[in-house]
Amino acid sequence: MAEKTHAIVIGASIAGLAAARALADRVDRVTVLERDALADDEIVRPNVPQAHHTHVLLAAGHRALEAAFPGLTAELEAQGAMGSRASRTFWFQDGAPFTIPDEAVPGVAASRPLLESTLRRRLLADHPNVTLLDRTAATALTLEDGRVTGVRTRDAQHRADLVVACTGRGTRLLDSLREHGFPTAEESTVRIDVAYATQEFRRDSADMDTTTAVVLDDPAGSHRAGALLAIAPDRWIVTLSAQHGDPAPTDAQEFLDFAHALPSPVIAQVLDRSEPLGPVHSYRLPTGRRRHVERLASVPAGFVALGDAICSFNPLYGQGMSSAALQAVALGEAIDAHGVAAPGLPHEVYTRASAVLDAPWAMAVTADFADPRAAGDKPRGTDVFNRYLTLVVRACHTSPQVALQFFAVQNLLAPPQSLMALRTMARVLRAAPRSPAGRARRAEASTREAEHSHEPMRH
Ligand SMILES: Cc1cc2nc3c(=O)[nH]c(=O)nc-3n(C[C@H](O)[C@H](O)[C@H](O)COP(=O)(O)OP(=O)(O)OC[C@H]3O[C@@H](n4cnc5c(N)ncnc54)[C@H](O)[C@@H]3O)c2cc1C
């Protein structure tokens, strides 16, 4: 009889749950180890403090999770999550709102704890071969002859054919492999210094039709941003952010003031009529960081790391959970092609995960460098692409087709290069000059010029 296969996943956050789901179909037994205590209700647990903040699930991630957990969207909505439609989205960028067609990417908006607890419940209910041990921290990997053979916890040792570390941005497990003679991955980093502030508000279910509002200030200016999301018929979550030393608000009054100073009043108007449901939560993130595990010359058999452990983006773009879900799909495909215990599996997983990460990382870094204060590993061509993106954004003010393509890219449904396709480029070049923001700027510039030409000459 063939030996039974066992995989261990460390970390039961989004990456860990998605990876465990992919493994459940491909090995006999999956054990998930999580250091936090896990409860059924919607709580923010100590080691995932970002769960206080708005978590947008991009369409590609939504589709991947729905495919892995059929009926997930309906289940989330049954617990109060909101179906989101483009026609109910207000998106304000570069001085004017976008014209958004209704066919643009429908989605689901939920609190991060609700999404995570629902995924966890579904994983355990649908897959009896998955066991979850909470309050169980992995303290070390065990290795024999260059292969990871399992995980040590405080009072036990667990053997496995494959260990998948989904231990988040601060993980030390990858670096611990250095002690066993394995190289550490090169990193790309971008200094972003993002400060987040989030507060929830009571929502009147009859309150405006718009369920999502995003307001972005010029990255070369204040680079402040606000996002308002209905995560239940009676709950708004609102996140305000600033970058590079500009402080985000820390109390309720500052929160209101900051919202009022955004370039569109839409979010502030909602806050003015809504009762706060809790305190302002803060979060700071110094860098976007990608570990290039795909470039490693040697990696131990029996071990891979996924999710924020290998790539943690500027959270403003909402890419982390979706990338994690897509990396889990890549994990499953690599196992199908090579087998769970194959020595070449980790390299294959990293190659596929890297292909998943390339587009969101490129998009995040491009957007980060639109702010002249950003510093770090800047890919060639970033400034040129950013200049073109300015035109794309202006075109979105009047062209629903360009906005549709913009959202497809942003939701990881189409590659960033698709914005350069001839048809789209032609639309961008036609529509950008019609942008009310562009017109307003040109009018302002010509007024300044006229004033200047009427100024008396000084000698
Ligand atoms: C402020 C903020 C806002 C964000 N907004 C969005 C958004 O809008 N959309 C989006 O898609 N993403 C967003 N993200 C990113 C998102 O939170 C992550 O990408 C997502 O949680 C997936 O991360 P992960 O599962 O890899 O790691 P984490 O979520 O960091 O989870 C790691 C898990 O591993 C556990 N763990 C760690 N070490 C051990 C150990 N030794 N033993 C056992 N368990 C261990 C931890 O307790 C934790 O449960 C945001 C992030 C931040 C910081």
Side-chain angles (χ1 to χ4, degrees):
M1 207 172 79
E3 288 229 352
K4 297 223 163 179
T5 48
H6 179 213
I8 291 177
V9 176
I10 315 174
S13 181
I14 305 297
L17 296 171
R21 168 64 192 88
L23 289 162
D25 287 343
R26 295 170 171 95
V27 297
D28 295 302
R29 220 156 48 81
V30 183
T31 307
V32 184
L33 308 178
E34 169 53 53
R35 62 185 169 183
D36 274 341
L38 300 173
D40 267 349
D41 31 342
E42 233 188 284
I43 52 153
V44 173
R45 51 199 181 82
N47 282 300
V48 187
Q50 75 266 35
H52 281 296
H53 300 271
T54 303
H55 267 67
V56 172
L57 184 59
L58 301 180
H62 178 213
R63 286 184 189 175
L65 290 175
E66 177 66 37
F69 300 97
L72 174 71
T73 309
E75 206 168 323
L76 286 167
E77 287 179 9
Q79 296 171 89
M82 301 283 283
S84 62
R85 289 217 60 84
S87 56
R88 295 158 79 191
T89 297
F90 174 83
W91 190 285
F92 187 100
Q93 186 171 358
D94 197 6
F98 283 12
T99 302
I100 304 175
D102 197 27
E103 68 258 46
V105 285
V108 66
S111 78
R112 163 64 206 250
L114 178 66
L115 176 63
E116 190 184 296
S117 60
T118 306
L119 289 174
R120 190 166 67 233
R121 200 173 46 248
R122 279 295 302 274
L123 175 71
L124 297 175
D126 298 356
H127 302 280
N129 62 339
V130 179
T131 309
L132 198 161
L133 305 177
D134 69 346
R135 294 177 228 217
T136 308
T139 53
L141 300 170
T142 55
L143 281 93
E144 284 166 28
D145 303 326
R147 178 181 187 99
V148 170
T149 54
V151 168
R152 206 171 289 132
T153 58
R154 199 160 61 102
D155 33 39
Q157 197 154 316
H158 306 257
R159 282 189 79 83
D161 301 281
L162 179 67
V163 175
V164 183
C166 298
T167 36
R169 179 182 168 107
T171 188
R172 293 206 190 90
L173 282 178
L174 269 167
D175 295 333
S176 74
L177 291 170
R178 212 174 17 210
E179 294 155 29
H180 299 275
F182 291 98
T184 41
E186 289 169 36
E187 287 185 8
S188 294
T189 55
V190 184
R191 185 103 214 147
I192 48 171
D193 283 323
V194 175
Y196 254 50
T198 298
Q199 195 173 14
E200 292 196 14
F201 293 82
R202 189 175 307 286
R203 177 176 185 266
D204 179 341
S205 54
D207 201 352
M208 64 180 192
D209 225 21
T210 300
T211 55
T212 307
V214 173
V215 176
L216 302 168
D217 206 350
D218 184 0
S222 88
H223 207 174
R224 290 182 169 190
L228 165 101
L229 196 66
I231 48 170
D234 60 353
R235 259 164 89 195
W236 293 113
I237 189 166
V238 181
T239 291
L240 304 174
S241 71
Q243 291 193 231
H244 298 291
D246 179 18
T250 52
D251 64 31
Q253 188 56 49
E254 284 178 14
F255 202 86
L256 268 182
D257 295 344
F258 191 104
H260 275 279
L262 288 171
S264 155
V266 165
I267 294 178
Q269 283 163 356
V270 173
L271 301 193
D272 281 342
R273 61 174 181 263
S274 307
E275 175 202 346
L277 290 176
V280 175
H281 294 281
S282 305
Y283 199 100
R284 300 187 73 89
L285 200 72
T287 55
R289 188 180 68 187
R290 180 171 177 189
R291 296 181 200 232
H292 292 283
V293 282
E294 74 284 2
R295 296 184 195 158
L296 283 167
S298 82
V299 290
F303 175 81
V304 291
L306 296 177
D308 279 20
I310 59 168
C311 189
S312 129
F313 306 90
N314 184 337
L316 270 180
Y317 318 122
Q319 297 168 317
M321 300 190 299
S322 294
S323 302
L326 296 171
Q327 288 169 57
V329 174
L331 169 70
E333 288 169 355
I335 295 174
D336 291 343
H338 292 265
V340 71
L345 180 78
H347 187 68
E348 183 65 25
V349 173
Y350 287 149
T351 304
R352 289 172 190 254
S354 162
V356 163
L357 287 168
D358 281 346
W361 178 253
M363 284 156 59
V365 167
T366 302
D368 289 339
F369 278 111
D371 186 324
R373 298 166 298 181
D377 300 303
K378 184 174 181 174
R380 237 183 316 156
T382 300
D383 292 339
V384 177
F385 194 48
N386 262 329
R387 280 199 285 278
Y388 176 63
L389 279 180
T390 306
L391 295 179
V392 172
V393 166
R394 293 215 180 130
C396 290
H397 295 151
T398 58
S399 166
Q401 293 100 331
V402 177
L404 193 64
Q405 193 58 34
F406 176 88
F407 283 120
V409 170
Q410 199 211 25
N411 278 278
L412 308 179
L413 296 175
Q417 299 86 307
S418 66
L419 289 169
M420 317 276 267
L422 279 182
R423 227 169 114 108
T424 305
M425 238 182 190
R427 282 183 174 137
V428 167
L429 295 178
R430 263 199 315 273
R434 294 203 300 264
S435 155
R439 278 205 303 272
R441 262 192 209 100
R442 281 194 300 280
E444 208 176 283
S446 62
T447 313
R448 267 202 309 273
E449 214 168 89
E451 280 170 5
H452 189 69
S453 68
H454 287 106
E455 270 177 21
M457 299 263 275
R458 283 191 207 107
H459 297 283

